[in-house]
């Protein structure tokens, strides 16, 4: 026989109204009574109807996540953390994967009656998203966004510090001819990591001009290293804007018989899932994917439930992970 809300009320010794308030996450229930209801629900294996609960609250119970790609283990880790965190709060996650802003709004879940809120992860053309989300009055938060917007809430990484520490590590190992392969130009992460590189080099009295344009891809790293070998002039160390670029450098060098780190020390950024699997294992800068997901969900839910007072920007600290791809000059 199907368990009902009346059975839960009877088991907990409380009223149906109190049980309903607990199920709908009302803030007017004493903690002692809330625990009694939750315990009764667990003992009876009672699962409230999600659609009915959402209808009662005037909510969909769904959070939309906009992302441009899933071919990135760092982004995957952030998505997993977001999904797990939302599940704990009784929400479902819906994905929209697209680089076309207006197609996303025309054909996806980004409508007022489809989601309770939206998380944008590493958005491209984010100003257009901000404009549309504000126009539709949908609560939202930006993660790893490319611009600092005082009028929105966001969670970003201190990419300047990451670039600085990656370069400083190479300098401390005695390297003087250090190159940087940058990321795509519009990205805040690219410009800040490059700025960190330049600052560390200038602080040490070294020339920071050896900068190659990249695009966060294995191909861009491979091509840069190939050009160096063809010219007969190689840096003794490289700070790549991300791990994929670093993998490309490593591949090009190994194909020509160079040894890493004996012939060149290499540092990446992101701590992608393969960074510890490649040989030599890649020294890199780890981004806190778990904290980014946690903060993003917490901020968004505060906007949804009306407890957020103002927009905030949370900046998280990266961590240098030293492995086998760097050595003393």
């Amino acid at each position: 026989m199907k368990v009902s809300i009346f059975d839960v009320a009877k088991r907990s010794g409380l009223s149906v109204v109190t049980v309903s308030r607990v199920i709908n996450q009302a803030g007017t229930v004493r903690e002692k009574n809330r625990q009694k209801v939750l315990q009764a629900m667990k003992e009876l294996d009672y699962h409230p109807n999600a659609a009915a609960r959402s209808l009662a609250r005037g909510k969909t119970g769904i959070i939309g996540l906009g992302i441009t790609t899933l071919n990135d283990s760092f982004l995957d880790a952030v998505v997993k953390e977001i999904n797990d965190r939302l599940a704990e709060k009784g929400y479902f996650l819906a994905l929209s994967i697209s680089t076309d802003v207006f197609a996303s709004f025309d054909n996806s879940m980004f409508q007022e009656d489809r989601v309770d809120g939206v998380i944008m992860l590493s958005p491209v053309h984010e100003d257009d998203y901000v404009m549309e989300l504000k126009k539709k009055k949908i609560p939202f938060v930006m993660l790893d966004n490319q611009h600092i917007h005082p009028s929105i809430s966001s969670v970003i990484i201190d990419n300047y510090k990451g670039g600085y520490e990656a370069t400083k590590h190479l300098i401390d190992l005695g390297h003087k001819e250090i190159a940087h392969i940058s990321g795509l130009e519009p990205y805040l992460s690219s410009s800040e990591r490059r700025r960190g590189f330049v600052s560390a080099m200038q602080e040490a009295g070294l020339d920071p001009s050896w900068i190659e344009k990249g695009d966060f891809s294995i191909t861009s790293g491979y091509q840069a290293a190939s050009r160096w070998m063809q010219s007969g002039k190689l840096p003794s160390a490289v700070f790549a804007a991300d791990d994929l670029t670093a993998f490309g450098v490593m591949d090009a060098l190994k194909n020509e018989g160079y040894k890493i780190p004996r012939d060149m020390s290499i540092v990446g950024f992101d701590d992608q899932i393969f960074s510890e699997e490649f040989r030599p294992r890649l020294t890199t800068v780890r981004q806190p994917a778990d904290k980014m997901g946690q903060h993003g969900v917490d901020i968004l839910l505060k906007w949804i439930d009306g407890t957020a007072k103002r927009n905030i920007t949370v900046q998280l600290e990266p961590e240098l992970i030293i492995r086998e791809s760097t050595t003393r000059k």
Side-chain angles (χ1 to χ4, degrees):
M1 188 173 180
K2 187 175 181 180
V3 179
S4 72
I5 191 173
F6 298 99
D7 298 313
V8 176
K10 185 177 179 180
R11 175 65 67 91
S12 66
L14 298 167
S15 68
V16 171
V17 172
T18 299
V19 173
S20 177
R21 285 173 177 166
V22 172
I23 291 172
N24 290 301
Q25 300 177 9
T28 55
V29 181
R30 284 185 291 182
E31 181 61 22
K32 183 179 178 181
N33 289 340
R34 191 177 77 86
Q35 290 302 324
K36 284 183 179 180
V37 172
L38 294 176
Q39 182 61 33
M41 290 171 62
K42 183 178 180 181
E43 291 173 359
L44 295 171
D45 194 27
Y46 173 71
H47 302 283
N49 183 282
R53 188 170 74 249
S54 295
L55 185 62
R57 291 186 300 175
K59 303 289 185 181
T60 66
I62 299 172
I63 299 298
L65 174 64
I67 191 171
T68 58
T69 180
L70 288 176
N71 297 322
D72 185 298
S73 66
F74 166 68
L75 298 181
D76 289 349
V78 178
V79 172
K80 183 181 184 306
E81 187 64 35
I82 290 171
N83 183 70
D84 292 348
R85 193 83 169 181
L86 287 173
E88 291 174 0
K89 303 293 184 179
Y91 284 91
F92 293 98
L93 181 65
L95 287 181
S96 174
I97 307 171
S98 176
T99 56
D100 187 329
V101 178
F102 298 105
S104 293
F105 281 96
D106 290 340
N107 304 318
S108 78
M109 75 297 200
F110 294 142
Q111 303 294 335
E112 299 95 321
D113 58 348
R114 294 183 182 178
V115 295
D116 296 333
V118 167
I119 297 173
M120 297 303 306
L121 178 54
S122 294
V124 178
H125 311 303
E126 67 186 67
D127 289 339
D128 293 328
Y129 279 108
V130 170
M131 179 181 67
E132 287 294 314
L133 287 164
K134 284 190 171 185
K135 185 168 70 175
K136 294 180 180 296
K137 297 182 179 179
I138 301 175
F140 69 96
V141 62
M142 296 272 181
L143 309 186
D144 190 34
N145 41 303
Q146 311 314 320
H147 306 288
I148 301 299
H149 300 267
S151 63
I152 69 170
S153 290
S154 61
V155 184
I156 60 175
I157 304 294
D158 189 344
N159 285 287
Y160 169 82
K161 181 178 180 180
Y164 178 89
E165 291 190 350
T167 309
K168 183 72 163 49
H169 169 61
L170 295 171
I171 294 170
D172 289 344
L173 290 173
H175 294 279
K176 299 184 183 303
E177 290 189 312
I178 305 171
H180 174 54
I181 306 176
S182 68
L184 287 167
E185 198 60 39
Y187 287 92
L188 178 66
S189 56
S190 298
S191 59
E192 286 296 279
R193 291 170 196 178
R194 183 175 63 244
R195 191 167 71 87
F197 165 77
V198 171
S199 291
M201 292 290 283
Q202 289 178 335
E203 185 180 279
L206 300 175
D207 182 3
S209 64
W210 199 335
I211 299 176
E212 304 278 350
K213 288 186 178 180
D215 59 9
F216 294 131
S217 71
I218 291 176
T219 299
S220 65
Y222 190 96
Q223 290 175 342
S226 296
R227 288 194 297 270
W228 297 336
M229 288 185 287
Q230 290 169 6
S231 70
K233 181 173 173 54
L234 274 73
S236 70
V238 176
F239 163 45
D242 77 334
D243 290 346
L244 296 181
T245 304
F247 295 154
V249 174
M250 295 170 73
D251 190 34
L253 292 172
K254 287 195 283 188
N255 284 345
E256 296 299 322
Y258 288 88
K259 297 292 184 181
I260 305 166
R262 185 193 68 189
D263 297 317
M264 186 184 294
S265 286
I266 302 172
V267 180
F269 205 110
D270 284 344
D271 197 23
Q272 295 274 351
I273 193 169
F274 297 114
S275 299
E276 200 166 16
E277 302 298 326
F278 267 60
R279 294 296 182 269
R281 297 183 306 155
L282 181 65
T283 294
T284 186
V285 178
R286 176 181 294 162
Q287 301 195 69
D290 55 345
K291 291 182 180 178
M292 176 169 280
Q294 290 168 15
H295 280 288
V297 169
D298 291 346
I299 291 169
L300 179 63
L301 295 186
K302 285 179 180 178
W303 281 113
I304 291 173
D305 66 24
T307 60
K309 302 301 181 184
R310 59 185 176 84
N311 288 296
I312 61 170
T313 296
V314 176
Q315 187 175 68
L316 303 174
E317 297 291 302
E319 178 187 4
L320 179 66
I321 306 298
I322 300 174
R323 297 196 178 108
E324 300 163 351
S325 66
T326 54
T327 191
R328 188 162 295 281
K329 174 65 175 172

